């Protein structure tokens, strides 16, 4: 008996002293392709009804995630609950069919959906632009770090501003100037509307262009009749422009011709020293709105840090998708198996690995499944407005979205490469998996501003959005890019985003290991990664 006790004692001593590397390795071994497959299959199945916020599909999804967080051993993170309630506003805009442009002695009309698309976030039953003066404000950007102000010495209060999409760097190409080809946040349409509102404009029309926007006119005009979701605002967004709109290229050219100007002057807007130009025209239109408030939920599970529990690393993957919609070939469920089932599986596997560590991480790890990403990062935005940890002590956000099922990749594509020191963590750990860092090959589309990590970036928290995507270990680069293009054309936001038996989730599995290691490293450090000097988010931290 005594011998046996001694034996037990040594076993205890041995296991208590497991080296950090051995501990890390046994945690990594809990990340398996079988688990990733099982989770992706479940979360992408018809039983989840397309995971739409505020529906039966939401209940099923958030209850499943809660049960998984419990099974894994995460604590409820939101005051004793795994759920953080999020109020949503669903608003339907019904703009008049015509936009009237009046000059001194004549006027022209633009047609809804062909020439323009018009939206509003304002919870007001009726909105009207009544002969609102039109001013061309170039790119509509105020960027102190580039000594740039398109609104300098021009009063646009109550007026209608017309702005170009994207930013001057796309035209100029100089990487030091608005990051060249890569879109800065100043190029994103959400920024244009935000800045126009700060300047007091009544309406903001963005001139659409395929390359600068990153998508065609159809994407803009299609959205105009469906109800849209926003985070509920206690003032009903009365501080936003009444009308947030787009003009097609052709309509914009007509507008400038009406003002006696050539669209060639748009090029001038990319040059320093550009001054806003009043068009001596006015805009008139009306819009009716109806809206309702509904409730949805973020899901949050926590592993408390062992010594600096007030500092946190946040992993995120949105749970929502589009629910049940129009029937296409007999199927009406928008499963969102890739968007975002595989990333949820990725995050659950990372959570399991953290819990499996014998030496708990020094910093806390929060696992966050936001709602309402598809409608505009709603749950993530609500979280940063109501954070569970001080944002200044939030070390990093590591997000994923749309992890494709095409097997292992040699690259780790970083969307928003160059924004923060988090890139260095990827560079350091990627070679262990015989992988290399690849900056997003299409930075002009502004993908960095189009998924949940961006809500964190906007709140000053360094945020990483990265995954294997472009260089298949087995089939090479060309093949992987073709597969990605196929997926975007045939499955993205369609009923065919569904789990299939041919899926190869070995890449998602390897990404879970890699990003677990990155978070683990961050969790054991006492320093905070920073934004890089040329980042538009640097001044927020
Ligand atoms: Zn997504």
């Amino acid at each position: 008996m005594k011998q046996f006790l001694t034996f037990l004692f040594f076993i205890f001593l041995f296991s208590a002293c497991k080296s950090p590397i051995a501990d890390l390795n046994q945690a990594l071994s809990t990340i398996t392709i079988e688990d990733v497959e099982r989770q992706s299959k479940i979360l992408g199945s018809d039983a989840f009804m397309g995971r739409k916020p505020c529906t039966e599909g939401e209940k099923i999804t958030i209850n499943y995630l809660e049960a998984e967080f419990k099974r894994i051993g995460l604590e409820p993170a939101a005051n004793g609950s795994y759920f953080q309630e999020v109020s949503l506003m669903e608003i339907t805009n019904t703009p008049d069919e015509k936009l009237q442009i009046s000059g001194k002695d004549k006027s022209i009309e633009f047609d809804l959906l062909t020439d323009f698309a018009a939206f509003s976030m304002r919870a007001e039953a009726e909105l009207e632009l009544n002969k609102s003066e039109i001013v061309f404000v170039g790119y509509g950007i105020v960027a102190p770090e580039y000594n740039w102000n398109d609104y300098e010495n021009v009063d646009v209060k109550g007026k209608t501003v017309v702005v170009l999409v994207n930013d001057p760097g796309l035209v100029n190409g100089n990487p030091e100037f608005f990051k060249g080809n890569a879109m800065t946040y100043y190029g994103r349409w959400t920024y244009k509307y935000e800045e126009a509102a700060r300047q007091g404009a009544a309406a903001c029309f963005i001139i659409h262009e395929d390359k600068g926007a990153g998508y065609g006119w159809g994407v803009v005009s299609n959205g105009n009749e469906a109800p849209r979701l926003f985070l509920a605002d206690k003032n009903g967004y009365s501080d936003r422009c009444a009308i947030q709109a787009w003009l097609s290229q052709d309509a914009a050219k007509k507008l400038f011709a009406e003002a006696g100007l050539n669209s060639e002057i748009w090029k001038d807007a990319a040059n320093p020293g550009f001054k806003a130009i009043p068009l001596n025209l006015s805009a008139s239109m009306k819009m009716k709105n109806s809206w309702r408030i509904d409730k949805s939920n973020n899901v949050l599970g926590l592993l408390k840090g062992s010594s600096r529990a007030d500092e946190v690393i946040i992993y995120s993957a949105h749970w929502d998708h589009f629910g049940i919609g129009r029937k296409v070939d007999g199927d009406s469920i928008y499963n969102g198996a890739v968007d975002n089932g595989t990333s949820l599986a990725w995050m659950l596997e990372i959570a399991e690995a953290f819990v499996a560590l014998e030496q708990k991480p020094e910093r806390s790890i929060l696992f966050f499944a936001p709602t309402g990403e598809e409608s505009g990062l709603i749950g993530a935005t609500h979280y940063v407005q109501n954070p569970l940890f001080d944002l200044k002590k939030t070390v990093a956000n590591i997000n994923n979205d749309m992890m494709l099922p095409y097997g292992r990749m040699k690259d780790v594509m970083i969307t928003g490469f160059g924004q923060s020191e988090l890139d260095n963590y990827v560079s350091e750990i990627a070679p262990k998996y015989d992988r290399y860092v690849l900056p997003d090959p299409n930075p002009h589309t502004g993908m960095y501003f189009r998924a949940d990590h961006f809500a964190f970036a906007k709140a000053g928290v360094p945020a990483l959005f990265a995954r294997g995507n472009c260089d298949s270990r087995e089939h090479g680069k060309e093949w992987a890019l073709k597969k990605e293009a196929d997926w975007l054309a045939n499955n993205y936001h369609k009923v065919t985003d569904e789990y299939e038996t041919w899926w190869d989730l070995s890449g998602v599995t390897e990404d879970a290991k890699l990003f677990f290691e990155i978070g683990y490293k961050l969790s054991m450090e006492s320093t905070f990664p920073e934004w890089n000097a040329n980042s538009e988010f640097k001044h927020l931290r």
Side-chain angles (χ1 to χ4, degrees):
M1 184 64 185
K2 192 174 166 224
Q3 241 177 5
F4 180 66
L5 283 177
T6 317
F7 173 71
L8 274 184
F9 176 74
F10 276 106
I11 288 274
F12 172 75
L13 203 66
F14 179 73
S15 58
C17 296
K18 185 178 272 173
S19 77
I21 288 178
D23 194 21
L24 180 74
N25 285 337
Q26 66 82 22
L28 277 168
S29 72
T30 67
I31 299 175
T32 66
I33 188 165
E34 291 77 17
D35 285 358
V36 174
E37 276 171 2
R38 184 174 53 84
Q39 294 289 12
S40 302
K41 209 174 193 167
I42 293 171
L43 286 155
S45 69
D46 285 356
F48 286 72
M49 304 168 76
R51 304 191 308 269
K52 188 176 178 175
C54 314
T55 66
E56 184 63 22
E58 161 157 0
K59 269 186 220 149
I60 296 166
T61 308
I62 68 172
N63 288 341
Y64 179 76
L65 290 172
E66 177 188 44
E68 282 302 287
F69 282 175
K70 266 186 201 161
R71 176 189 64 78
I72 288 168
L74 299 177
E75 291 175 39
N79 307 315
S81 168
Y82 290 95
F83 303 136
Q84 181 184 47
E85 198 177 84
V86 181
S87 286
L88 306 177
M89 171 181 70
E90 188 189 74
I91 185 164
T92 306
N93 304 134
T94 314
D96 270 8
E97 293 293 316
K98 303 283 181 190
L99 165 66
Q100 192 94 24
I101 305 291
S102 312
K104 232 185 187 159
D105 30 47
K106 63 169 188 157
S107 68
I108 51 170
E109 275 183 345
F110 285 143
D111 292 328
L112 184 67
L113 305 187
T114 323
D115 300 319
F116 76 102
F119 305 89
S120 185
M121 294 167 74
R122 283 215 203 162
E124 286 177 43
E126 283 183 43
L127 291 165
E128 182 175 11
L129 280 185
N130 189 4
K131 300 225 157 165
S132 164
E133 272 178 59
I134 306 177
V135 185
F136 174 54
V137 291
Y139 286 91
I141 292 172
V142 180
E145 68 272 40
Y146 296 107
N147 203 6
W148 192 278
N149 185 353
D150 286 321
Y151 287 97
E152 199 167 26
N153 300 323
V154 55
D155 179 11
V156 299
K157 282 194 189 65
K159 296 182 185 170
T160 292
V161 297
V162 173
V163 304
L164 296 166
V165 75
N166 217 299
D167 65 42
L170 191 66
V171 176
N172 186 297
N174 170 5
E176 303 296 313
F177 181 67
F178 286 94
K179 298 191 180 171
N181 262 342
M183 190 196 277
T184 60
Y185 183 52
Y186 302 113
R188 186 86 177 123
W189 58 271
T190 49
Y191 169 81
K192 312 279 183 188
Y193 295 145
E194 285 162 6
E195 191 57 53
R198 280 192 284 271
Q199 303 288 338
C204 176
F205 282 79
I206 302 173
I207 300 174
H208 179 265
E209 187 251 320
D210 286 6
K211 187 181 182 212
Y215 40 78
W217 176 251
V219 173
V220 175
S221 60
N222 274 346
N224 215 156
E225 270 154 5
R228 289 174 314 140
L229 290 172
F230 293 98
L231 187 59
D233 176 64
K234 61 178 187 303
N235 302 315
Y237 291 105
S238 56
D239 56 345
R240 303 296 297 243
C241 297
I243 306 287
Q244 301 180 336
W246 290 84
L247 277 178
S248 72
Q249 272 279 306
D250 287 348
K253 283 180 181 158
K254 261 186 231 162
L255 176 76
F256 277 69
E258 200 62 20
L261 296 166
N262 191 303
S263 59
E264 285 294 304
I265 64 154
W266 298 349
K267 288 185 190 143
D268 297 345
N271 299 325
F274 165 82
K275 297 255 180 314
I277 306 170
L279 297 189
N280 299 316
L281 298 171
S282 70
S284 303
M285 67 168 286
K286 286 182 183 167
M287 179 188 278
K288 287 196 170 63
N289 300 308
S290 60
W291 65 94
R292 63 188 185 91
I293 303 294
D294 216 333
K295 304 272 185 216
S296 184
N297 292 276
N298 286 331
V299 190
L300 295 129
L302 178 69
L303 178 65
K304 263 203 194 106
S306 59
S307 60
R308 273 167 284 123
D310 58 335
E311 297 174 3
V312 69
I313 290 123
I314 304 180
Y315 285 92
S316 56
H318 72 85
W319 64 254
D320 66 297
H321 198 57
F322 294 109
I324 299 172
R326 198 155 34 96
K327 228 178 207 158
V328 181
D329 294 333
D331 190 359
S332 58
I333 299 178
Y334 289 73
N335 299 74
V338 156
D339 189 3
N340 202 18
T342 49
S343 307
L344 286 167
W346 166 86
M347 182 168 80
L348 290 169
E349 281 303 279
I350 292 172
E352 249 178 26
F354 269 105
V355 174
L357 286 166
E358 248 162 49
Q359 294 281 92
K360 291 292 166 244
E362 292 178 7
R363 284 169 159 161
S364 295
I365 317 285
L366 183 62
F367 297 91
F368 175 24
T371 181
E373 189 275 347
E374 302 285 13
S375 316
L377 326 182
I378 293 174
T381 304
H382 175 83
Y383 176 87
V384 297
Q385 290 175 6
N386 305 274
L388 300 172
F389 288 81
D390 187 343
L391 290 177
K392 288 197 179 61
K393 293 193 170 187
T394 302
V395 181
N397 167 239
I398 303 174
N399 181 62
N400 245 315
D401 209 331
M402 293 239 330
M403 302 181 82
L404 295 172
Y406 296 124
R408 289 170 68 207
M409 298 284 158
K410 285 193 268 191
D411 66 304
V412 186
M413 177 183 77
I414 302 184
T415 302
F417 179 79
Q419 285 283 6
S420 81
E421 291 175 351
L422 289 172
D423 294 351
N424 306 343
Y425 290 77
V426 186
S427 306
E428 190 184 317
I429 295 173
K432 180 177 163 187
Y433 294 89
D434 186 27
R435 295 173 66 179
Y436 63 92
V437 167
L438 179 75
D440 177 358
N442 293 305
H444 68 277
T445 65
M447 200 58 214
Y448 191 67
F449 318 118
R450 291 163 65 179
D452 280 325
H453 60 279
F454 178 57
F456 287 94
K458 238 177 145 185
V461 176
L464 185 64
F465 178 27
R467 63 207 187 275
N469 193 71
C470 302
D471 189 357
S472 161
R473 188 162 293 279
E474 210 182 324
H475 308 282
K477 227 171 179 168
E478 214 175 299
W479 182 90
L481 291 173
K482 191 184 168 301
K483 286 288 171 192
E484 185 199 27
D486 281 355
W487 186 272
L488 293 176
N490 303 319
N491 306 86
Y492 174 64
H493 288 186
K494 294 197 163 83
V495 292
T496 47
D497 179 356
E498 230 168 345
Y499 186 88
E500 302 281 356
T501 46
W502 58 258
W503 277 23
D504 178 355
L505 292 172
S506 57
V508 175
T509 309
E510 192 171 81
D511 276 349
K513 293 184 184 203
L514 181 84
F515 288 95
F516 162 66
E517 287 207 49
I518 289 170
Y520 177 73
K521 183 171 160 61
L522 285 163
S523 75
M524 300 308 244
E525 292 175 345
S526 56
T527 52
F528 285 76
E530 288 183 30
W531 292 104
N532 291 331
N534 67 345
S535 168
E536 56 268 49
F537 309 107
K538 174 112 181 143
H539 69 282
L540 299 169
R541 187 70 160 172

